[in-house]
């Protein structure tokens, strides 16, 4: 096995956490014309460092390849997420006494799903977002965006222009940066004295206990426990003073950080969650061995069920052309033979094809006309929102189901 060095502590990382075979990047949706060409595929192997316990991908491609100008994921596609962002804004404005004198920086601001709230409230803010597709959507909402990848170098440049922030927000970005040390050093550089940082990321322990192997894709370079995030932040001169467990994206953490010499007290939540992780075995290798066998079972159960549907002469399609869906389908080797189409509301996706499986993506409205017997909901994390939207179709007999962590059917 070739050597890999931990992207945080530099130690040799030999322990395989999960190996999902080779597949194209999860957001590399294909235009019709591209079907004539072969696709780049990269091994999707994840290892765990037994020194700092960072769970991380083995890298074969540059991150820039995953966050290109036509990046297809728009956070505002989900009303659940929009509501989550609004709730965060209300809480943050109170907790950090934000006003027209404050300055808020969001890293990976996507389509302005969050900063639109700060703009409306007259609180000065800036988004940092590398993908022009989402950045231009944010600009249309009047959200100021600096289009680039966040780094320590950029933090120095912006700080020299007086852009140090009272509040730094980073949602679903800490896992997406290959150089996690540079990223956290950048947070310290651009954080104003007395300022606060809130970072949300999918929670490793929920991923493992929930068998959420499909949230593993190349653009997720790290899979994070609270223990490891504290280790990384402290190594960059930051201190974690509070933490919240969230239900978003299958289970996430919201971590609160500040400068090491800040006067804030450490909340009881911090030691409480560290104790829970100790009991779970966060520094024990065998705790990381559960995911591979559960991924194989989910794959077998789904393949068996899709073949049963086919043998019974029934129709089945998918809903939600989510990145996690591409990991599931490509790992299971499912193509349009078993799933002839997937439906999605995102204009950035329908009319294209899923990477790898090459399943055509159709607009959501078409589903109501096609009335299939079964619908596999790929973004299980928002299955309730999606099933509520399709209550009439479900009442008319179409069966909606998800495959992770097991086959589950939805009634209305
Ligand atoms: O970290 C990441 C998470 C936050 O989001 C990114 N790297 C990529 C992305 O992952 P994903 O694509 O698996 O996320 P979702 O939120 O599970 O994707 C939902 C998909 O469903 C989108 O393509 C939009 C679509 N959708 C839909 O067709 N109808 C969503 C809703 C709410 C709908 O009603």
């Amino acid at each position: 096995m070739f050597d890999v060095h931990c992207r945080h502590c530099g130690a040799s990382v030999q322990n395989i956490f999960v190996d999902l075979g080779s597949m194209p990047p999860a957001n590399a949706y294909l235009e019709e014309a591209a079907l004539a060409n072969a696709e780049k595929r990269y091994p999707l192997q994840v290892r765990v460092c037994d020194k700092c316990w960072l769970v991380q991908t083995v890298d074969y491609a540059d991150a820039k390849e995953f966050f290109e100008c036509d990046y297809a994921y728009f956070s505002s596609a989900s009303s659940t997420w929009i509501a989550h962002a609004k709730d965060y804004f209300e809480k943050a404005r109170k907790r950090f006494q934000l006003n027209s004198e404050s300055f808020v920086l969001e890293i990976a601001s996507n389509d302005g799903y969050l900063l639109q709230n700060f703009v409306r409230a007259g609180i000065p803010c800036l988004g940092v977002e590398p993908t022009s597709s989402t950045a231009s959507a944010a600009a249309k909402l009047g959200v100021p965006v600096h289009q680039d990848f966040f780094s320590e170098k950029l933090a120095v440049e912006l700080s020299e222009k007086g852009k140090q922030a009272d509040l730094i927000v980073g949602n679903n970005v800490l896992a997406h940066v290959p150089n996690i040390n540079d990223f956290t050093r950048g947070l310290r550089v651009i954080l104003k004295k007395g300022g606060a940082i809130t970072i949300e990321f999918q929670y490793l322990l929920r991923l493992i206990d929930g068998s959420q192997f499909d949230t593993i894709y190349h653009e997720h370079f790290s899979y994070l426990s609270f223990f490891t995030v504290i280790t990384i932040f402290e190594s960059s001169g930051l201190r974690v003073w509070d933490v919240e467990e969230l239900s978003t994206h299958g289970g996430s953490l919201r971590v609160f950080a500040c400068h090491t010499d800040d006067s804030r007290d450490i909340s009881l939540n911090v030691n409480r969650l560290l104790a829970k992780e100790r009991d779970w075995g966060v520094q024990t290798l065998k705790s990381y061995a559960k995911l591979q066998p559960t991924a194989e079972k989910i794959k077998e159960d789904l393949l068996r069920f899709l073949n049963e549907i086919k043998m019974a002469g029934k129709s089945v399609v998918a809903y939600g052309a989510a990145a996690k869906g591409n990991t599931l389908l490509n790992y299971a080797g499912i193509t349009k033979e078993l799933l002839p189409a997937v439906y999605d509301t995102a204009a950035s996706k329908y009319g294209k094809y899923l990477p790898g499986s090459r399943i055509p993506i159709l607009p959501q409205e078409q589903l109501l006309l096609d009335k299939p017997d079964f619908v596999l909901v790929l973004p299980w994390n928002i299955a309730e929102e999606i099933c509520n939207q399709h209550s009439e179709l479900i009442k008319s007999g179409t069966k909606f189901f998800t495959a992770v962590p097991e086959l589950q059917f939805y009634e209305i």
Side-chain angles (χ1 to χ4, degrees), residues 27 29 67 71-74 77-80 172 176 202 214 217 219-220 249 319-325 343-346 349 364 378-382 385-386 389-390:
N27 273 303
Y29 298 93
F67 302 104
Y71 187 65
Y73 186 78
F74 287 66
S78 166
S79 57
T80 310
N172 297 310
H176 300 63
Q202 283 168 295
D214 58 343
Y217 21 98
E219 70 184 51
H220 287 173
H249 289 290
Y319 188 91
K324 59 176 64 68
Y343 302 75
D344 197 290
T345 51
K349 293 186 180 179
Q364 183 262 353
L378 296 169
W380 43 264
N381 48 302
I382 48 175
E385 176 181 344
I386 288 168
Q389 282 166 15
H390 296 88

Side-chain angles (χ1 to χ4, degrees), residues 317-338:
V317 298
Y319 188 91
K324 59 176 64 68
N326 293 320
T327 295
L328 174 69
L329 299 179
N330 287 324
Y331 171 63
I334 293 168
T335 61
K336 58 180 182 299
E337 273 62 45
L338 279 177

Side-chain angles (χ1 to χ4, degrees), residues 229-242:
V229 167
I230 287 181
T231 306
I232 295 172
F233 274 44
E234 288 182 351
S235 74
S236 290
L238 294 169
R239 179 165 62 82
V240 172
W241 51 281
D242 200 356

Side-chain angles (χ1 to χ4, degrees), residues 271-405:
N271 287 330
R272 201 176 292 132
L273 188 56
L274 284 173
K276 249 168 90 176
E277 288 198 343
R278 264 193 305 279
D279 298 345
W280 183 88
V282 77
Q283 296 182 62
T284 313
L285 209 43
K286 74 175 176 25
S287 306
Y288 298 86
K290 299 179 220 172
L291 194 64
Q292 189 81 49
T294 56
E296 282 154 18
K297 175 143 185 1
I298 288 169
K299 174 171 95 172
E300 282 148 24
D301 292 352
L302 178 57
L303 282 169
R304 186 182 317 109
F305 184 60
L306 292 177
N307 280 301
E308 280 168 14
I309 292 173
K310 189 170 182 180
M311 303 303 282
K314 300 280 186 190
S315 60
V316 56
V317 298
Y319 188 91
K324 59 176 64 68
N326 293 320
T327 295
L328 174 69
L329 299 179
N330 287 324
Y331 171 63
I334 293 168
T335 61
K336 58 180 182 299
E337 273 62 45
L338 279 177
L339 273 180
V342 58
Y343 302 75
D344 197 290
T345 51
S348 60
K349 293 186 180 179
Y350 58 67
K352 297 181 179 174
Y353 296 78
L354 296 183
S357 67
R358 296 179 164 215
I359 293 169
I361 310 170
L362 306 177
Q364 183 262 353
E365 306 77 46
Q366 186 66 37
L367 179 67
L368 309 176
L369 305 172
D370 295 347
K371 284 190 185 313
D373 299 305
F374 291 91
V375 175
L376 167 60
V377 177
L378 296 169
W380 43 264
N381 48 302
I382 48 175
E384 222 168 287
E385 176 181 344
I386 288 168
C387 289
N388 290 340
Q389 282 166 15
H390 296 88
S391 54
E392 290 317 308
L393 193 55
I394 294 173
K395 283 180 192 146
S396 72
T398 296
K399 292 195 175 26
F400 279 53
F401 69 102
T402 50
V404 176

